[in-house]
Amino acid sequence: MVLRKSWEQKKIQMEENIMKKISFLGAGSWGTALAILCANNGHKVTMWSKIKAETDMLREQREHVERLPGVKLPDSIEIVDEISAACQEQDIIVFSVASPFVRSTAELAKPYIKPGQIIVNVGKGIEDNTLMTLCEILEDVLPEAKVAVLSGPSHAEEVSKEMPTTVVVGAKDEKTATFIQDVFMGKNFRVYVSPDIVGIELGGALKNVIALAAGILDGMGLGDNTKAALMTRGIVEISRLGMELGGRMETFFGLSGIGDLIVTCTSTHSRNHNCGYLLGKGKTLEEAKQEIRQVVEGVNCAKAAMKLANKHHVSMPIVEQINAVLFDNKSTEQALKDLILRERVIEYQSLSWK
């Protein structure tokens, strides 16, 4: 077994002029938090956003006032207005835009992407019309790039304040994965590597749908028993579909599976949980989205998850009921009742009596 370098060894390396050029396309809370992390790791960081008001705010106030108030950007971070400036001569380009904008951002970046460019997707979602994961979208638009994913239980609010966090990087080859690992690894940010890109992406995307359901339960005033049941059966649904699509079981019981599910289902930092909570309190979907005022990835992913489940003949009763609540005006009370009173089954089909 190869042991990765300790933080102390990595720090010595950085002091020996191995600074890398890292750019971020997308300057929301997660992109900003990771940009600060990379800058504090000693790298040259550039940030770009299509939203001019956002780049102006970051440049002038050195702070994302709306999403990460009180967290200052290091002086070394450069904010640029042109995507070309963020894509040329970079060691790593990080896609940190919300999932609905990954394809359009990749199209904007395409003229400036060199063959073999390392691209790291840090978003979570599935494209509704194509049913592609975000890495698949990037590979579709940028076929000559080396596309990887970084995911795990990691709220931007906590990473920006240097609270201990652990994530996993997935890539097709070990060299790319460990290169990204070395760039992001910090004294409070531990990075594992994995070859299972599919599993990492599906775990990160599908848990947002389950988090909506967890928020609904909290909004309805239900207890720990109910949420524990939801999360347990939720990871079963995620792994069931994920393995059908090529993911590994180990991944779904790792950081980007059960780890990300736990943090998203239980935290008020989670916009998916918060949206579900408002639905559980009786708000309509539009009312909830207006109150959240950010992209709620689980809403975008729910339809795609149901389409994938139907296409591959995978049973996902929680996802089915969430779709009914979101898009068919089904009451949360009736959805819960229908889940509880479904046909009786064995917990795991792989277990049987002799």
Side-chain angles (χ1 to χ4, degrees):
M1 183 177 70
V2 177
L3 295 177
R4 302 300 304 144
K5 299 179 182 67
S6 69
W7 167 244
E8 289 76 16
Q9 290 172 312
K10 183 176 182 298
K11 192 172 181 181
I12 292 171
Q13 278 192 327
M14 286 193 295
E15 291 170 353
E16 294 174 348
N17 299 318
I18 64 162
M19 178 184 73
K20 303 301 180 185
K21 293 181 180 179
I22 319 295
S23 68
F24 287 80
L25 306 185
S29 56
W30 190 214
T32 301
L34 288 175
I36 293 170
L37 169 75
C38 287
N40 288 339
N41 280 356
H43 301 296
K44 173 60 179 171
V45 174
T46 302
M47 296 180 69
W48 170 89
S49 171
K50 191 176 182 181
I51 305 169
K52 188 175 186 303
E54 198 163 47
T55 52
D56 288 344
M57 172 185 62
L58 291 171
R59 185 183 294 111
E60 294 164 9
Q61 302 191 46
R62 307 302 297 178
E63 177 183 338
H64 202 305
V65 178
E66 295 178 2
R67 307 283 178 82
L68 297 174
V71 180
K72 291 296 183 181
L73 268 64
D75 293 337
S76 62
I77 294 180
E78 181 182 7
I79 313 298
V80 298
D81 295 314
E82 300 297 329
I83 196 169
S84 58
C87 291
Q88 295 174 330
E89 304 301 324
Q90 300 295 322
D91 294 298
I92 294 175
I93 298 174
V94 180
F95 270 69
S96 48
V97 294
S99 62
F101 308 111
V102 168
R103 185 175 292 276
S104 59
T105 303
E107 294 287 359
L108 286 174
K110 185 175 182 177
Y112 314 107
I113 301 297
K114 65 187 179 184
Q117 173 68 63
I118 295 177
I119 291 177
V120 181
N121 164 54
V122 299
K124 299 170 183 179
I126 300 170
E127 193 172 44
D128 184 49
N129 58 332
T130 66
L131 303 184
M132 288 182 175
T133 65
L134 304 190
C135 282
E136 288 172 338
I137 294 170
L138 291 170
E139 289 174 338
D140 183 44
V141 180
L142 308 169
E144 295 186 347
K146 291 185 176 182
V147 178
V149 60
L150 182 150
S151 191
S154 49
H155 288 310
E157 295 84 353
E158 297 184 5
V159 171
S160 68
K161 295 176 182 177
E162 300 188 30
M163 295 184 183
T165 300
T166 306
V167 298
V168 59
V169 165
K172 289 184 177 178
D173 63 272
E174 186 178 6
K175 183 178 179 181
T176 299
T178 54
F179 179 79
I180 298 166
Q181 180 185 46
D182 284 337
V183 166
F184 282 89
M185 189 91 158
K187 60 183 179 181
N188 291 305
F189 197 80
R190 182 168 178 79
V191 183
Y192 289 84
V193 293
S194 168
D196 187 12
I197 298 177
V198 172
I200 292 170
E201 282 217 282
L202 290 173
L206 296 172
K207 57 85 185 178
N208 285 330
V209 184
I210 307 303
L212 281 169
I216 289 173
L217 297 183
D218 285 340
M220 294 172 70
L222 299 174
D224 295 337
N225 292 356
T226 317
K227 187 185 282 190
L230 173 83
M231 292 168 65
T232 304
R233 297 309 300 174
I235 198 63
V236 170
E237 291 192 18
I238 290 170
S239 58
R240 191 184 285 154
L241 178 61
M243 290 175 66
E244 182 67 27
L245 295 174
R248 296 287 299 273
M249 176 61 80
E250 297 94 330
T251 301
F252 300 113
F253 287 91
L255 290 165
S256 65
I258 192 66
D260 210 356
L261 182 71
I262 291 169
V263 79
T264 313
C265 287
T266 60
S267 175
T268 55
H269 289 314
S270 166
R271 67 192 72 166
N272 294 284
H273 175 277
N274 292 344
C275 181
Y277 181 84
L278 294 172
L279 293 173
K281 285 293 186 183
K283 301 267 189 180
T284 67
L285 177 58
E286 287 307 311
E287 288 171 338
K289 288 165 69 175
Q290 288 175 11
E291 191 164 330
I292 300 295
R293 295 194 307 136
Q294 296 184 60
V295 175
V296 181
E297 302 284 13
V299 173
N300 296 321
C301 186
K303 280 185 179 180
M306 199 69 254
K307 289 178 183 178
L308 281 170
N310 291 334
K311 179 179 179 180
H312 294 277
H313 308 290
V314 173
S315 174
M316 299 187 78
I318 298 172
V319 172
E320 181 180 354
Q321 293 301 326
I322 284 296
N323 272 272
V325 169
L326 292 176
F327 309 118
D328 299 329
N329 296 316
K330 188 171 189 175
S331 72
T332 55
E333 292 82 5
Q334 187 61 49
L336 178 62
K337 182 178 179 181
D338 289 348
L339 277 173
I340 295 293
L341 296 179
R342 286 182 303 117
E343 180 184 358
R344 292 173 291 180
V345 296
I346 189 170
E347 184 177 19
Y348 283 101
Q349 296 295 329
S350 58
L351 301 179
S352 62
W353 287 272
K354 292 181 180 180

